[in-house]
Amino acid sequence: MSPDRSRLHIALQKSGRLADQSRQLLKAAGLKLSEAGKNHLTARAENFPLDLMFVRDDDIPTFVADGVCELGIVGQNVLEEYALGQQGRRFEEVARLGFGRCSLKIAAPDSLNFFNVAMLAGQRIATSYPHLLERFLAERGISAEIVTMRGAVELAPRLGIARFICDLVSTGATLEANGLAPVADVFDSEAVLVRTSKPIDA
Ligand code: PRP
Ligand code: ZN
C-alpha cells in the first residue's frame, strides 16, 4: 500500500529518549497535533497536511529510506548503523536538532584499572551496534569477536557473555548501576531530521 501523497508522513520514536522532545519540536513549529492516545500509533496535524507515525527508533531509517515516510526524527547512531548495514544511505540529514545527545562507547568492568584499545584484540564485545563497532575496530586494525544483543547489553559482562560492551551512554547511570565504566568513544550522536532521498511518485 503506498501512502497518501497529498499528506506528508513523519516517523517519530514511539517511546524512549527522543519521543517527548520530537513531539514538542513539532508543536513549537506551530503544528496543532491531534492528541494521540497512549496506544495510538498515528496522529494528525490539524493545521498542516502532516501525519505522525510512532514507531521503534530502529525502524525509522527503513521507513524513510523506502519513502513510506518522507521525513523522520531519529538519532544519528541509529541512522549510521543502518547505513553501514545497507551499504548506502537513501536519506539526507536536513537538520541537527540539538537534543538526544548521547555517545556510543566501549565500556569495561570498573575493576579494570588500565585500558588501551589494543586490549580489545581477541576479546568478545557485546553490542546492539555491530556495524559501528566493526568499523571502529577495523579502523584500528583490531580483530575481536562481536556479540550482537538486542538490549540489556550491560548485563553481558556479569553473565560472562563478553568482557567488554559497546553501548549508548547518555547520563552514564546505566553503566554505573552495572559496575561498568566507559573506556573509549566510538560515535557521538544527537537527534536529526532526515528526509528520504527516494524519488516520490505522485
Ligand atoms: C540506551 C542504552 C543504555 C541507556 C544508557 O538505551 O542501551 O541502556 O540508554 O542511558 P544512560 O547513560 O542515561 O543511563 P535506550 O534508552 O536508547 O533504549 P533502546 O536501546 O531500547 O532504544
Ligand atoms: Zn532503540
Side-chain angles (χ1 to χ4, degrees):
M1 204 182 75
S2 64
D4 172 5
R5 292 300 180 201
S6 67
R7 296 180 67 83
L8 279 170
H9 306 80
I10 185 165
L12 305 171
Q13 189 185 34
K14 182 178 190 292
S15 58
R17 80 178 67 238
L18 304 183
D20 287 347
Q21 279 169 289
S22 301
R23 236 181 274 203
Q24 276 164 25
L25 181 77
L26 297 181
K27 285 185 184 165
L31 294 170
K32 273 189 70 184
L33 307 179
S34 67
E35 269 320 313
K38 202 162 167 276
N39 297 312
H40 286 210
L41 299 179
T42 62
R44 285 168 77 85
E46 286 162 7
N47 56 348
F48 193 80
L50 175 77
D51 290 339
L52 284 59
M53 310 285 175
F54 302 112
V55 299
R56 269 197 59 135
D57 60 349
D58 320 69
D59 290 331
I60 295 175
T62 312
F63 289 172
V64 176
D66 291 351
V68 173
C69 290
E70 298 84 0
L71 298 167
I73 293 179
V74 65
Q76 290 167 312
N77 55 309
V78 172
L79 285 175
E80 190 71 4
E81 178 66 20
Y82 173 88
L84 291 172
Q86 302 294 314
Q87 287 157 358
R89 52 179 71 240
R90 282 177 293 155
F91 37 73
E92 293 159 38
E93 207 175 282
V94 180
R96 294 187 180 189
L97 301 176
F99 62 86
R101 285 208 179 84
C102 59
S103 175
L104 186 68
K105 291 180 191 278
I106 304 214
D110 52 22
S111 54
L112 190 81
N113 47 29
F114 171 79
F115 179 81
N116 177 304
V117 277
M119 286 165 66
L120 297 172
Q123 297 291 332
R124 287 161 68 91
I125 311 168
T127 190
S128 308
Y129 295 86
H131 298 103
L132 281 166
L133 175 57
E134 195 181 347
R135 180 173 70 183
F136 173 90
L137 294 170
E139 282 171 358
R140 287 156 183 80
I142 294 167
S143 147
E145 189 183 337
I146 298 173
V147 181
T148 303
M149 292 174 66
R150 300 293 290 268
V153 171
E154 291 88 355
L155 282 180
R158 248 194 288 159
L159 299 176
I161 293 165
R163 180 152 184 228
F164 295 94
I165 68 160
C166 172
D167 200 14
L168 283 186
V169 180
S170 171
T171 61
T174 309
L175 284 188
E176 205 185 318
N178 288 282
L180 300 167
V183 292
D185 268 7
V186 175
F187 187 80
D188 292 328
S189 178
E190 69 180 272
V192 288
L193 175 67
V194 281
R195 71 159 173 240
T196 189
S197 46
K198 190 180 165 175
I200 302 294
D201 35 68

